[in-house]
């Protein structure tokens, strides 16, 4: 359990593939959910991420780094 609103949740720690060919939805959503539980920032590093719809809840900041692409598909 994270204790600080300054906590960083790096999606790489959640197993994203970062290849633009495989869905990273589950990994990104797990990071968003963990962040919402205590507050903080979800960090999306440079890369190509393929995802279905995501839910961003209260206490969550989404930081998309330069060079990061989130492609949302159905």
């Amino acid at each position: 359990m994270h204790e600080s609103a300054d906590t960083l949740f790096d999606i790489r720690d959640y197993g994203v593939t970062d290849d633009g060919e495989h869905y990273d939805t589950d990994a990104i959503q797990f990071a968003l959910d963990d962040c919402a539980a205590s507050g903080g920032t979800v960090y999306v590093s440079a890369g190509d991420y393929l995802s279905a719809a995501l839910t961003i809840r209260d206490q969550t900041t989404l930081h998309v780094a330069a060079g990061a692409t989130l492609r949302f598909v159905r």
Side-chain angles (χ1 to χ4, degrees):
M1 175 106 153
H2 301 281
E3 298 175 2
S4 170
D6 296 325
T7 301
L8 185 69
F9 297 83
D10 190 327
I11 64 170
R12 292 175 297 181
D13 295 337
Y14 290 82
V16 293
T17 59
D18 176 20
D19 64 6
E21 294 181 20
H22 297 90
Y23 280 88
D24 289 312
T25 308
D26 289 342
I28 297 169
Q29 189 62 61
F30 286 138
L32 289 166
D33 293 345
D34 280 355
C35 183
S38 61
T41 299
V42 173
Y43 180 74
V44 180
S45 57
D48 192 11
Y49 305 95
L50 187 63
S51 181
L54 298 166
T55 301
I56 302 173
R57 295 180 175 85
D58 292 342
Q59 302 188 88
T60 302
T61 299
L62 181 65
H63 177 88
V64 181
T69 301
L70 283 172
R71 292 188 300 138
F72 293 96
V73 295
R74 294 179 188 207

